Amino acid sequence: MKQALAALALLATLAVGVLHAPTPALAADKQRLVLQVSDNDPAKWNLALNNAQNVQQALGKENVEVEIVAYGPGLNMFKNDSKVAARLNAALDAGVTLDACGNTMKKMKVGKDDLIAGATIVPAGVIHIMQRQREGWSYVKP
């Protein structure tokens, strides 16, 4: 009897663990990619934009969500006069989300009007990336 109760207790413990375990993404779910760029370097930005474009082409735009998060010196490339502004606009047109770090914006005294149209602002770039990773997004720093 004690062995049966112990076995039931073990099964109950395992069942609770399974119920609380994170569930893997289903094959039918979209792939999700967050790219981080913290460099004020057009070459790094072109690499990140190439990564986003290649992922969309390989998986199909309808099968993947892509976000690029800019913070620190990388925020300069989100400005209207950026050397990669045309490519950023093309990425936006292709459905890529461009996230600007609100903390960096405050420190650099950059306003929403200074950024290319379509860029979104997240309160803190690093924390946004951390949250995305907890949500199961793949993370790449080109």
Side-chain angles (χ1 to χ4, degrees):
M1 181 70 170
K2 286 183 182 180
Q3 288 178 338
L5 288 175
L8 282 174
L10 177 62
L11 285 174
T13 302
L14 291 174
V16 169
V18 168
L19 291 174
H20 292 295
T23 55
L26 300 174
D29 288 347
K30 283 187 174 186
Q31 296 285 328
R32 299 175 301 174
L33 171 64
V34 61
L35 297 158
Q36 171 211 322
V37 186
S38 53
D39 298 307
N40 185 21
D41 178 1
K44 291 268 179 134
W45 273 96
N46 279 312
L47 179 59
L49 292 162
N50 288 344
N51 290 163
Q53 185 177 30
N54 291 341
V55 166
Q56 285 182 322
Q57 286 176 349
L59 300 177
K61 288 181 194 177
E62 68 282 355
N63 299 318
V64 65
E65 291 180 59
V66 179
E67 286 188 11
I68 300 177
V69 179
Y71 64 85
L75 183 70
N76 287 311
M77 289 294 148
F78 270 10
K79 291 183 180 177
N80 293 317
D81 60 353
S82 166
K83 292 179 182 177
V84 294
R87 291 218 49 212
L88 292 171
N89 285 316
L92 285 166
D93 290 343
V96 174
T97 301
L98 302 178
D99 296 322
C101 174
N103 285 339
T104 301
M105 290 177 67
K106 288 176 195 166
K107 288 180 182 170
M108 293 175 61
K109 295 181 171 71
V110 171
K112 176 123 175 107
D113 292 340
D114 298 318
L115 303 178
I116 63 165
T120 57
I121 300 170
V122 296
V126 172
I127 293 172
H128 185 74
I129 292 168
M130 290 168 61
Q131 289 169 334
R132 288 299 194 218
Q133 286 183 291
R134 283 190 70 166
E135 294 167 357
W137 289 59
S138 298
Y139 164 76
V140 173
K141 182 179 188 294

